Amino acid sequence: GKKTKKMWVVRVSGEGCDVHFIRRNEEYICLKSAQEVNLTPPVLYIKEEQLICSRFIEDGKTWNNQTVQENIKLCVEIVQKLHNISNESYTQHIFNPFEVSRHYLEISKSHSAPLPSDIQIHFDKMNFIENLLNSHSKSTFPICPCHNDLLAANWIMGTLNNTKKLWLIDFEYGGLGDRFFDLANLSGNCEFSDDQDKELITEYFGTFDLSYYSRLKLLKAVSDLREGMWSFVQWGISKTCSQEFYEEYGRNCITRFGNAVSSPEYQDYIKSLQSPDNTV
């Protein structure tokens, strides 16, 4: 039969990969596991050059925040399939957003990044959230394969092998972790409203649970802090964008964290996780 040319996208290791715990061999393990359950396009790994090659989706359309918001159910189905992959077949790297944020803080300080003057207060609040969540057994699930970078730009609708579907790409931050952080990361990156967060919890768990919702909301704030600290690391090491861009983006993310943990609702989330009965 007639052979058709297949186009591939090549990902190379750029500056700062080690600082962000990005390792192409580990990313490839994540991608292969996701490929086996048809979540991401076919991939190849060229070990000598540490290159990852993914099939190019020629008619692919990258989603935006609104598209994700309008398709929460579909996105949840894909995230659930990812979380249901066996831990043994995924990378064994553990992604802990609290530890990553503290690591980013040290790297940012080493580069004299222009951090907000109250950054330590934000980290004290983050540490409080970490301790609270670790002590709440009801909303603590076993770690599972996670993506950890669920931007709208990592969702692509397109056709491969005569099948049009939604694909999830870019697993460079993939690791075993807290499924709630994956959901919170999706919500935060795609700017979900309170109602959309409730829909997210209900679609994922099949019912609405206040403790699950509260854990999501607290980790949504943590996701913003981690994202902000990522940007200040980039301020010190990256030439991809200007330092002014990274500073503004980082400050905006950290401001969202500060607003979240200063809101009246924040105290409600704390109380719900300290209450013995929090199912509604």
Side-chain angles (χ1 to χ4, degrees):
K2 182 181 178 182
K3 291 185 178 180
T4 57
K5 292 183 178 179
K6 296 177 180 178
M7 298 178 66
W8 296 78
V9 177
V10 179
R11 182 192 287 277
V12 299
S13 295
E15 57 195 359
C17 282
D18 288 342
V19 169
H20 295 296
F21 305 112
I22 295 170
R23 296 173 178 84
R24 295 301 174 212
N25 60 321
E26 298 290 337
E27 181 184 1
Y28 176 67
I29 294 171
C30 297
L31 285 164
K32 281 297 289 183
S33 298
Q35 179 194 325
E36 288 172 5
V37 290
N38 204 33
L39 298 183
T40 201
V43 292
L44 296 172
Y45 181 55
I46 303 173
K47 185 175 181 180
E48 292 76 13
E49 285 80 22
Q50 296 189 32
L51 299 177
I52 288 180
C53 307
S54 299
R55 278 282 304 280
F56 179 64
I57 306 170
E58 295 189 41
D59 68 340
K61 300 293 183 184
T62 302
W63 278 13
N64 56 34
N65 289 351
Q66 182 179 348
T67 324
V68 174
Q69 292 168 11
E70 292 170 351
N71 292 275
I72 291 175
K73 181 179 176 64
L74 178 56
C75 291
V76 165
E77 289 173 357
I78 291 173
V79 172
Q80 282 178 320
K81 285 183 180 178
L82 172 62
H83 292 172
N84 287 334
I85 293 173
S86 71
N87 288 7
E88 292 73 23
S89 65
Y90 210 60
T91 176
Q92 296 306 291
H93 168 67
I94 304 294
F95 184 95
N96 182 318
F98 301 99
E99 293 180 0
V100 170
S101 297
R102 286 188 285 265
H103 167 71
Y104 283 167
L105 178 61
E106 294 306 312
I107 298 297
S108 299
K109 287 180 176 178
S110 74
H111 288 280
S112 300
L115 295 164
S117 58
D118 57 352
I119 192 64
Q120 191 54 54
I121 294 174
H122 291 318
F123 269 80
D124 290 343
K125 291 183 177 181
M126 184 199 78
N127 293 337
F128 172 82
I129 292 172
E130 179 182 24
N131 291 330
L132 175 65
L133 296 183
N134 286 343
S135 68
H136 192 265
S137 58
K138 179 183 176 184
S139 65
T140 302
F141 285 69
I143 59 173
C144 66
C146 292
H147 185 280
N148 301 309
D149 194 24
L150 291 170
L151 302 163
N154 286 334
W155 299 93
I156 298 179
M157 178 66 75
T159 307
L160 279 178
N161 301 324
N162 300 315
T163 301
K164 186 173 183 177
K165 67 182 297 294
L166 181 62
W167 304 92
L168 182 58
I169 63 167
D170 190 356
F171 280 71
E172 64 182 8
Y173 291 98
L176 298 176
D178 184 344
R179 69 195 66 218
F180 281 93
F181 181 78
D182 239 7
L183 297 174
N185 183 257
L186 172 65
S187 169
N189 282 322
C190 299
E191 301 179 353
F192 284 13
S193 66
D194 289 345
D195 285 343
Q196 288 164 342
D197 282 339
K198 290 174 182 176
E199 180 184 352
L200 180 62
I201 288 294
T202 303
E203 288 291 348
Y204 189 94
F205 294 101
T207 186
F208 180 80
D209 182 286
L210 184 57
S211 68
Y212 295 172
Y213 178 72
S214 297
R215 189 182 187 98
L216 173 81
K217 286 295 195 179
L218 295 182
L219 284 171
K220 187 173 181 177
V222 172
S223 179
D224 278 331
L225 182 59
R226 189 219 65 89
E227 183 77 5
M229 295 312 303
W230 170 89
S231 198
F232 279 110
V233 169
Q234 294 299 92
W235 181 94
I237 69 173
S238 179
K239 301 293 190 295
T240 303
C241 298
S242 68
Q243 286 187 321
E244 290 76 15
F245 170 83
Y246 285 124
E247 180 179 356
E248 180 181 5
Y249 182 70
R251 286 183 177 273
N252 287 342
C253 292
I254 293 171
T255 295
R256 287 201 301 271
F257 172 85
N259 291 341
V261 299
S262 300
S263 68
E265 292 82 8
Y266 172 75
Q267 295 303 324
D268 294 336
Y269 307 144
I270 297 297
K271 290 176 183 176
S272 79
L273 291 173
Q274 294 171 333
S275 169
D277 183 9
N278 40 36
T279 302
V280 294

